[in-house]
Amino acid sequence: MKNYIVHDAWKVIEKGFFAQNNKISESLCSIGNGKMGQRANFEEQYTGATLRGSYVAGLYYPDKTRVGWWKNGYPEYFAKVLNATNWIGIDVQVNGEILDLAKWKVIDFYRELDMQKGLLSRSFIAENGKGEQVKVSSRRFLSMRESDAGAIEYSVTALNFDGNLRIEPYLDGDVFNEDANYDEKFWTEISKERSAAKNTGLLLMETKKTQFRLATAMQIDLLKNGQNHNIELKVISRDKYVSNVYQTEIQKGDTVTVFKYVVNAASIHFATETMVEDAKLILDRIHKKGFEILLAEHIEKWKEIWDDADVIIEGDVAAQQGIRFNIFQLYQTYTGEDERLNIGPKGFTGEKYGGVTYWDTEAYCLPFYLKTTDAQVARNLLIYRYKHLQKAIENAEKLGFKNGAALYPMVTINGEECHNEWEITFEEIHRNGAIAHAIFKYINYTGDEYYLAEYGLEVLIAISRFWKQRVNWSEDKQKYVMLGVTGPNEYENNVNNNWYTNTVAKWTLQYTLDGMEKVKSKHPELFKSILKKVKFNQFEDTDEAGAWFDIIDNMYFPVDEVRNVFLQQDGFLDKIIEPVTALPVNERPINQNWSWDRILRSCYIKQADVLQGLYFLENQYDMDTIRRNFDFYEPITVHESSLSPCVHSILAARLGYKEKAYELYLRTSRLDLDDYNNDTEDGCHITSMAGTWMSVVEGFAGLRNEGDTLFLRPFLPDQWEAFSFTIQFRSARLKLSIQHKTITIENISKVNVSLVLFDEKHIIPAGETLKQNIEGSVIAL
Ligand code: BGC
């Protein structure tokens, strides 16, 4: 746990240079625009601890799998999003000495990420061994409007000396991934261009094996004391590198400012034959606009996002900063315009998890995008999986399943499984359930029933086929059982009858059957063609629906009759059940202190498992059931996945455990800002950030929906004075504000909205406001 980030409602601020925390700050202050991201590395050279990272979405490398012991069925490679051409670099030399904050004395260091503007800035004074001082200030952003472009303003002032200043803005494609399995470099240079006359440079790089191309183009403007400046200029190029070098004599008080405009044109967005020319055209356009106009456009775009997605918390700056940080990072990572892209657990802020897609997207991120923006964004996330359906069928075939059964990968970028730990790759199959449930969530929230006919049903049928083949009939139990699985709680492996997995399997079968009925009655022609396409009842199984009904009716679920709770898996009660509070503090987190076998034998739970099921399917269980299970499982949960506290916080809020809900909320909301788990240097926990937002909206505000009716059951945490947010619901937009005594719901849209506040039904006409006091009586409508 660290506490060096200054609390501020809109900014992430580091005052003073904390070299030991540099990699953390680099993660925290990362910038991105959905298409690419950049850690908050310094522009100038830095020989201290750093993880240099510029990542371009969708460009990956199939890094050959590395395991101690090969198991049949392991994927051949782990696809990882690549560290790409370093576009930010600007080397500085003062009288021949390289500016390097690891070697120079650093005075008045200040790094700031302005989340309202999406702008990273930095300033400091640095002093070399001769006492020569320079003042440096920089600003940079990756444009939300010009989504292939970024810009940097970098100024150097001579504070107390006259002499020579050498500035070298460059593009460097000779980069590596820290997480490369065999220390291999993934890029080769195809070509480069440079022009001293135009102050431009361009590097065209290509990935090995996958042959993705990236054309990075830069243009430099140089000013001395605010005036355009022509100075001696030299172009340097070596393999994978191109730079323009500026040398000038400066006097005490002089300031030299570099504007570096950059375009990263990736071959997934541009045709290979034209991408270099395209990059140059965009570069020309952004250069003509200039830094301030580009920045103003970028801020305008962020304003639109904030208007839709902001959560305002009054009376608690730390909480305000926390929630905005989460929203900001999510929108930097994924903007939802391109259905080929998705959300890696670390986004563009680090390399852990390879930038690839997990079940996190469907289970955690989808509800955030559903409620904060246009439905098309969540739809694109679903279509991503639809497009991977054939690969998911092939993935299942590799493991011996057949007849159109699909097992979606635990991690993927192109649809193929990349994960190579047997207990997860082969056994953590509950991911299929989250993908099916996401279809339900989307349709339930948006009302876009046609999605089912257009895409959803095919996916559901393929997943249902998988469940059908994955269960087996137990003569002993006279029930269907599911053996050898890992549930969401990865602190148990190879268990039988994980309650959550059995539950989502049964749920999927039922939802698929219901979906088939709906599509059949509403779109009979389409229904016929879907059945034909998936060869329904045409494989060995001639009554697929009948087989699914049989499983639904006869699925086995472990329960504890005495406590009246669902059991996480068979045999769970053989464990010694002791609360987390009995654990010595110095043994936590247990994943860093205990041997794996000890973790597996213990009762301790990494993240919501039974409770994940109760969260997903809350409307199927009464409050007493949820309470009994929460009271049993939460005290033995160590929350060592960042995905854990939010689900517990939401359930706690639902149960009226307000303090618990708030305590768990705090663990997610500032997880990265305070480096709670000691791992922010690897990157931020992007996917769990959506869970933080859900803790506010689904937890504290108690928002649910069934069909076109919204339900709200808000409360205000004691530590806050008020909180408010806006949601998108079908064609309506509502602004909710929860104060100590009143709840205000403004219908800021053109349609009437019907909602149930606590237990009372209201219709709020378009443009009207409902104001109610917390005891329930309506003040005004
Ligand atoms: C969690 C998984 C999650 C993955 C990526 C793991 O620690 O247990 O549920 O999908 O991290 O966030």
Side-chain angles (χ1 to χ4, degrees):
M1 172 105 176
K2 315 246 173 354
N3 193 14
Y4 73 99
I5 296 296
V6 178
H7 291 181
D8 182 280
W10 275 111
K11 293 171 178 171
V12 178
I13 297 171
E14 181 188 3
K15 257 189 194 155
F17 186 45
F18 300 91
Q20 73 283 12
N21 294 341
N22 186 45
K23 283 165 86 176
I24 301 172
S25 305
E26 287 179 344
S27 303
L28 291 177
C29 296
S30 293
I31 51 171
N33 66 1
K35 263 190 180 170
M36 55 186 153
Q38 170 66 49
R39 282 172 58 86
N41 309 121
F42 300 157
E43 284 85 1
E44 72 278 355
Q45 275 192 31
Y46 184 63
T47 52
T50 177
L51 168 63
R52 282 213 161 260
S54 306
Y55 307 99
V56 181
L59 304 194
Y60 66 90
Y61 182 78
D63 202 9
K64 196 167 155 357
T65 302
R66 190 176 184 137
V67 283
W69 195 263
W70 188 265
K71 295 196 168 48
N72 267 350
Y74 270 166
E76 297 293 321
Y77 64 89
F78 192 106
K80 45 194 58 154
V81 172
L82 298 183
N83 196 2
T85 297
N86 170 1
W87 61 274
I88 61 164
I90 302 176
D91 282 353
V92 178
Q93 284 185 29
V94 175
N95 287 329
E97 201 175 326
I98 295 171
L99 173 65
D100 176 352
L101 294 197
K103 295 182 178 155
W104 291 43
K105 186 173 164 196
V106 187
I107 305 160
D108 285 346
F109 181 91
Y110 181 85
R111 178 161 33 192
E112 171 192 298
L113 174 69
D114 186 328
M115 301 183 282
Q116 194 168 22
K117 299 180 176 156
L119 181 67
L120 172 66
S121 43
R122 198 162 54 102
S123 64
F124 59 87
I125 292 171
E127 182 182 291
N128 64 15
K130 289 176 264 169
E132 290 162 341
Q133 289 189 340
V134 284
K135 180 176 180 354
V136 173
S137 37
S138 69
R139 294 191 292 163
R140 77 168 181 247
F141 60 95
L142 274 171
S143 174
M144 275 289 194
R145 182 78 65 189
E146 291 276 5
S147 58
D148 303 295
I152 304 172
E153 180 195 37
Y154 190 91
S155 299
V156 184
T157 306
L159 288 184
N160 59 356
F161 66 96
D162 300 342
N164 183 271
L165 181 69
R166 183 182 188 276
I167 295 191
E168 183 175 346
Y170 62 88
L171 302 175
D172 184 7
D174 193 18
V175 292
F176 60 92
N177 266 56
E178 203 179 63
D179 66 344
N181 284 345
Y182 296 90
D183 292 334
E184 196 188 347
K185 287 194 175 167
F186 302 137
W187 294 95
T188 48
E189 182 191 307
I190 300 296
S191 63
K192 62 162 77 74
E193 292 176 27
R194 58 267 168 189
S195 158
K198 287 178 154 173
N199 289 348
T200 55
L202 184 142
L203 205 52
L204 179 62
M205 303 293 296
E206 186 179 82
T207 54
K208 294 179 190 165
K209 291 190 190 166
T210 34
Q211 265 101 42
F212 289 115
R213 287 197 174 186
L214 180 68
T216 306
M218 68 170 176
Q219 179 149 11
I220 308 300
D221 284 346
L222 202 105
L223 275 72
K224 194 167 175 181
N225 299 327
Q227 303 296 315
N228 276 333
H229 191 59
N230 286 328
I231 49 175
E232 185 198 335
L233 190 142
K234 186 161 79 159
V235 168
I236 294 192
S237 56
R238 53 175 193 265
D239 190 33
K240 304 182 185 173
Y241 184 94
V242 58
S243 73
N244 298 340
V245 180
Y246 306 88
Q247 293 239 46
T248 184
E249 293 306 315
I250 48 170
Q251 291 178 340
K252 185 176 152 189
D254 280 348
T255 297
V256 174
T257 304
V258 175
F259 287 99
K260 185 176 182 184
Y261 299 91
V262 178
V263 172
N264 271 315
S267 56
I268 67 161
H269 307 295
F270 296 89
T272 318
E273 310 76 51
T274 59
M275 61 190 297
V276 166
E277 288 316 306
D278 292 335
K280 287 191 212 166
L281 282 175
I282 302 173
L283 183 64
D284 195 44
R285 183 171 73 223
I286 65 163
H287 180 249
K288 280 193 180 118
K289 283 184 184 174
F291 190 89
E292 294 305 336
I293 291 181
L294 270 180
L295 177 60
E297 287 178 353
H298 166 71
I299 294 173
E300 188 53 39
K301 186 77 192 172
W302 266 113
K303 187 179 176 311
E304 287 167 22
I305 295 174
W306 284 117
D307 283 349
D308 287 345
D310 195 15
V311 173
I312 298 168
I313 298 174
E314 288 168 41
D316 187 341
V317 178
Q320 177 68 84
Q321 184 183 37
I323 191 74
R324 285 201 171 123
F325 181 70
N326 291 289
I327 297 164
F328 179 73
Q329 289 293 358
L330 280 160
Y331 271 102
Q332 292 211 113
T333 307
Y334 186 75
T335 53
E337 280 136 34
D338 189 336
E339 78 216 12
R340 295 167 305 169
L341 305 182
N342 208 282
I343 307 156
K346 300 273 165 190
F348 302 116
T349 66
E351 289 169 19
K352 200 169 170 205
Y353 298 117
V356 288
T357 309
Y358 282 69
W359 73 303
D360 305 26
T361 294
E362 286 76 16
Y364 293 84
C365 302
L366 188 107
F368 166 79
Y369 288 103
L370 260 181
K371 297 183 179 95
T372 56
T373 189
D374 197 85
Q376 186 60 37
V377 172
R379 198 173 208 267
N380 278 349
L381 286 173
L382 297 187
I383 290 176
Y384 175 91
R385 294 293 192 177
Y386 175 78
K387 295 236 162 122
H388 287 178
L389 178 58
Q390 189 48 38
K391 289 273 183 211
I393 292 174
E394 287 163 25
N395 183 38
E397 280 168 0
K398 283 185 202 155
L399 306 187
F401 298 89
K402 51 191 181 174
N403 303 343
L407 175 60
Y408 275 93
M410 188 64 190
V411 301
T412 192
I413 196 158
N414 58 8
E416 268 180 340
E417 176 65 89
C418 294
H419 206 290
N420 57 29
E421 288 169 69
W422 66 269
E423 63 278 26
I424 293 177
T425 315
F426 307 136
E427 297 204 331
E428 208 176 325
I429 52 177
H430 69 80
R431 59 205 187 229
N432 254 4
I435 289 165
H437 192 250
I439 297 173
F440 161 77
K441 279 196 279 245
Y442 168 78
I443 295 174
N444 181 43
Y445 198 77
T446 60
D448 178 9
E449 297 272 351
Y450 189 60
Y451 183 82
L452 200 57
E454 211 181 355
Y455 298 109
L457 198 55
E458 268 181 66
V459 170
L460 291 170
I461 289 173
I463 293 178
S464 288
R465 284 171 163 172
F466 173 82
W467 292 129
K468 148 78 177 49
Q469 292 171 39
R470 189 60 170 75
V471 296
N472 66 275
W473 177 253
S474 159
E475 275 303 325
D476 179 46
K477 293 190 163 66
Q478 289 292 299
K479 291 274 180 192
Y480 287 101
V481 292
M482 204 171 336
L483 310 179
V485 304
T486 296
N489 169 20
E490 292 177 343
Y491 288 177
E492 303 277 356
N493 299 148
N494 202 35
V495 300
N496 293 339
N497 294 311
N498 169 257
W499 183 87
Y500 172 77
T501 309
N502 287 13
T503 299
V504 286
K506 175 179 162 176
W507 177 87
T508 310
L509 293 170
Q510 187 64 60
Y511 185 57
T512 307
L513 289 164
D514 295 346
M516 288 175 77
E517 281 308 312
K518 264 193 194 143
V519 177
K520 189 177 170 185
S521 70
K522 286 194 181 146
H523 311 283
E525 285 312 308
L526 206 48
F527 184 64
K528 269 191 224 148
S529 74
I530 295 171
L531 292 196
K532 193 164 167 225
K533 183 172 175 194
V534 304
K535 299 199 170 65
F536 201 69
N537 289 341
Q538 284 173 39
F539 294 110
E540 309 142 31
D541 216 344
T542 48
D543 180 14
E544 294 197 64
W548 297 349
F549 276 123
D550 193 36
I551 297 168
I552 292 168
D553 289 342
N554 295 293
M555 183 73 113
Y556 167 74
F557 295 98
V559 289
D560 170 19
E561 307 283 1
V562 179
R563 291 175 186 79
N564 204 359
V565 294
F566 304 123
L567 277 190
Q568 190 179 265
Q569 73 240 13
D570 281 352
F572 188 76
L573 286 179
D574 291 340
K575 290 165 183 273
I576 298 168
I577 308 283
E578 266 184 339
V580 176
T581 47
L583 277 173
V585 177
N586 60 358
E587 291 184 19
R588 296 187 62 195
I590 57 172
N591 67 15
Q592 286 171 26
N593 291 291
W594 283 14
S595 67
W596 190 246
D597 71 298
R598 192 174 170 197
I599 291 178
L600 292 180
R601 280 182 280 120
S602 82
C603 70
Y604 296 120
I605 297 175
K606 181 183 182 189
Q607 67 200 88
D609 196 297
V610 167
L611 297 182
Q612 182 79 38
L614 296 181
Y615 164 63
F616 271 176
L617 306 176
E618 193 193 89
N619 59 353
Q620 299 189 2
Y621 301 95
D622 59 54
M623 273 303 130
D624 285 342
T625 303
I626 298 176
R627 188 184 308 280
R628 279 193 308 276
N629 283 278
F630 186 92
D631 290 350
F632 180 64
Y633 285 109
E634 201 284 327
I636 52 174
T637 303
V638 283
H639 301 294
E640 287 178 14
S641 159
S642 63
L643 300 175
S644 185
C646 57
V647 171
H648 291 84
S649 175
I650 296 167
L651 288 177
R654 187 77 183 101
L655 293 169
Y657 298 164
K658 297 181 184 175
E659 281 304 313
K660 190 82 200 162
Y662 191 70
E663 171 203 318
L664 289 160
Y665 165 78
L666 279 188
R667 287 181 68 149
T668 44
S669 117
R670 295 188 58 88
L671 180 76
D672 289 311
L673 285 174
D674 295 336
D675 195 18
Y676 205 93
N677 285 350
N678 229 353
D679 61 358
T680 304
E681 62 177 35
D682 299 334
C684 300
H685 300 81
I686 302 296
T687 45
S688 72
M689 291 180 178
T692 309
W693 184 90
M694 273 142 58
S695 306
V696 174
V697 173
E698 295 181 13
F700 304 152
L703 183 98
R704 305 283 188 278
N705 86 293
E706 258 167 48
D708 57 9
T709 305
L710 275 180
F711 294 82
L712 284 156
R713 192 170 280 281
F715 77 91
L716 180 67
D718 291 342
Q719 295 78 353
W720 297 355
E721 280 163 20
F723 71 101
S724 53
F725 60 90
T726 305
I727 54 156
Q728 183 78 36
F729 177 59
R730 304 199 171 194
S731 41
R733 264 162 63 79
L734 296 177
K735 194 161 187 287
L736 291 93
S737 176
I738 291 95
Q739 276 117 3
H740 273 299
K741 295 214 161 62
T742 49
I743 297 157
T744 310
I745 305 170
E746 277 175 73
N747 181 354
I748 48 176
S749 53
K750 296 196 174 76
V751 293
N752 300 347
V753 174
S754 84
L755 58 80
V756 178
L757 180 56
F758 298 107
D759 293 311
E760 213 178 312
K761 190 161 179 174
H762 303 271
I763 293 180
I764 313 182
E768 300 285 320
T769 298
L770 169 74
K771 206 167 185 167
Q772 177 168 318
N773 70 20
I774 213 92
E775 283 86 41
S777 49
V778 175
I779 300 170
L781 178 64

